[in-house]
Amino acid sequence: MEKFAFIVHPLTAKDFARKFPIAQNLSDGFLEGIMKYIPPVKVSHITGLESTQAQGEGWFIGCPLTSKQMMELPEQYVINKIIKAGKMAEKLGAGIVGLGAFTSVVGDAGITIAKNLNIAVTTGNSYTVATALEGTREAAKVMGIELERANILVLGATGSIGAACAQMLAQEVRYLTLAARSEAKLEKIAEQILRSTGLAVRVTANTKSAIKAADIIIAVTSAVDSIIEPEDLKPGAIVCDVSRPRNVSRSVAEMRNDVLVIEGGVVEVPGDINFGLNFGFPTGTAYACMAETMILALEKRYENFTLGRNLTVKQIDTIAQLAKKHGFKLSGLRSFERALTYEEVESIKKNAAAATEAKQRSIS
């Protein structure tokens, strides 16, 4: 039986209050003050993981800090708390531990954490990229958008996931824009892409303008608040939102019936898996970053797989092949915690066509 663990944390103070009802009437600030002093905790035991090749079990380890705290508290304090969670995974017998949500972003993206543990560490970002791109290709296909000719935007392109998505997309598209806060960092990525693929990409720090012009957006920023609002998107736009917390405001789903927003990196897990924790997904599905940890355990590859901010195409291709070998696969198209039906996608296509026609008439 192969053993793994995965570190999770509450995205907001309200998530913490949902887990512990006694805290529901306390303010966010008060809760965050308490969480600073709570040690890591075993959240649940994961059972039933089984591929045709191997079986596995694991644990969710809770690191009680919110996304906001992960970004604002002293870096070393946060890293030390994540290391303590990793030490708990060691004691439970895990051979590899995955870093979930903002635990994979802090500091040097897992390198220091790995140096301080006696078990393997992965951020799960390689399989996240593989599934995000697979989902984006599928969404473009069902919406009738030709990827090669579409205006594609990677939002948060200076992060490890965003840069890797950009590198891989540059091999198959013509029009690619990279957006992030730092144009200097974007220029470096653009130079790397030009050298490796021959594609000249646009870079911009004006994210709102880039969003409005894009046919397809892959959103992978580490923003703690939503940055894509209903008025930002053109009719027929596709957004693959890989970020947690989400980059796309929930009001987009409520106010725009002519755009397609999909969740990036949601996969079906082989076996009769029981996570012992409800994180809003249907039975048998998980985030791709969680799945990468499971895949490596089933493959008995107890090694530091995805660490730091430089992902390689080889890493992404390797984990995608191993996922297929063990029976992990993309969980269809999902939007705001639920599966999309064929009829719903067709309705979005029709509404987009009508909105585009109306816009053209108003211009002429």
Side-chain angles (χ1 to χ4, degrees), residues 36-359:
K36 282 199 297 185
Y37 301 101
I38 298 176
V41 60
K42 183 179 80 171
V43 176
S44 70
H45 182 206
I46 304 167
T47 59
L49 175 64
E50 183 174 4
S51 77
T52 57
Q53 313 288 323
Q55 295 178 325
E57 67 170 336
W59 298 269
F60 278 131
I61 310 293
C63 183
L65 291 175
T66 65
S67 305
K68 183 168 172 281
Q69 287 176 300
M70 293 260 177
M71 293 291 98
E72 294 180 355
L73 287 171
E75 187 176 283
Q76 195 56 52
Y77 173 87
V78 176
I79 288 173
N80 287 342
K81 197 153 187 174
I82 298 168
I83 290 169
K84 287 177 182 176
K87 291 290 184 185
M88 178 172 283
E90 281 182 12
K91 289 177 183 176
L92 287 166
I96 186 168
V97 63
L99 303 180
F102 277 58
T103 67
S104 67
V105 175
V106 176
D108 52 15
I111 294 172
T112 297
I113 293 164
K115 286 177 181 176
N116 285 274
L117 295 177
N118 297 314
I119 58 176
V121 179
T122 190
T123 62
N125 286 347
S126 294
Y127 194 42
T128 297
V129 171
T131 54
L133 294 178
E134 186 182 351
T136 300
R137 293 186 193 103
E138 179 63 23
K141 184 178 177 182
V142 299
M143 287 289 285
I145 296 176
E146 192 176 345
L147 207 65
E148 186 183 355
R149 299 180 181 279
N151 183 9
I152 299 175
L153 168 67
V154 178
L155 195 58
T158 53
S160 56
I161 295 176
C165 284
Q167 286 279 0
M168 295 195 75
L169 282 168
Q171 300 175 29
E172 54 187 301
V173 305
R174 292 185 189 178
Y175 310 108
L176 182 60
T177 301
L178 312 182
R181 287 190 295 266
S182 171
E183 282 202 32
K185 289 181 181 178
L186 287 171
E187 291 287 359
K188 286 184 181 179
I189 295 168
E191 287 172 16
Q192 291 169 0
I193 290 173
L194 183 61
R195 284 198 304 269
S196 61
T197 69
L199 182 70
V201 303
R202 289 184 61 242
V203 301
T204 181
N206 187 345
T207 57
K208 285 293 184 184
S209 175
I211 292 167
K212 290 178 188 295
D215 299 310
I216 297 173
I217 301 162
I218 298 180
V220 287
T221 82
S222 56
V224 295
D225 298 309
S226 57
I227 56 176
I228 300 178
E229 301 294 338
E231 64 275 11
D232 296 331
L233 298 164
K234 66 193 292 188
I238 296 169
V239 186
C240 178
D241 193 350
V242 185
S243 303
R244 298 294 180 273
R246 299 184 182 284
N247 283 171
V248 181
S249 168
R250 186 169 285 276
S251 59
V252 172
E254 297 163 357
M255 298 172 63
R256 294 294 301 271
N257 64 1
D258 59 347
V259 299
L260 176 60
V261 179
I262 63 169
E263 294 172 349
V266 183
V267 298
E268 293 179 16
V269 178
D272 188 18
I273 190 94
N274 181 1
F275 290 108
L277 173 68
N278 180 9
F279 44 89
F281 283 7
T283 302
T285 62
Y287 289 118
C289 54
M290 296 176 184
E292 180 172 308
T293 311
M294 299 178 214
I295 293 162
L296 292 169
L298 291 174
E299 187 65 13
K300 301 180 179 62
R301 286 187 66 157
Y302 293 116
E303 62 190 63
N304 297 333
F305 190 79
T306 309
L307 289 179
R309 306 200 184 280
N310 296 315
L311 306 186
T312 67
V313 172
K314 183 179 178 182
Q315 277 177 304
I316 295 161
D317 287 342
T318 296
I319 199 67
Q321 289 166 10
L322 292 177
K324 188 175 181 180
K325 172 183 174 180
H326 287 282
F328 290 78
K329 59 182 180 179
L330 194 70
S331 180
L333 295 181
R334 294 180 54 80
S335 183
F336 294 97
E337 290 95 30
R338 66 181 189 81
L340 287 168
T341 65
Y342 171 80
E343 289 76 18
E344 285 174 314
V345 176
E346 284 299 303
S347 177
I348 291 169
K349 283 173 68 176
K350 288 178 182 176
N351 293 334
T356 301
E357 188 179 336
K359 190 175 181 179

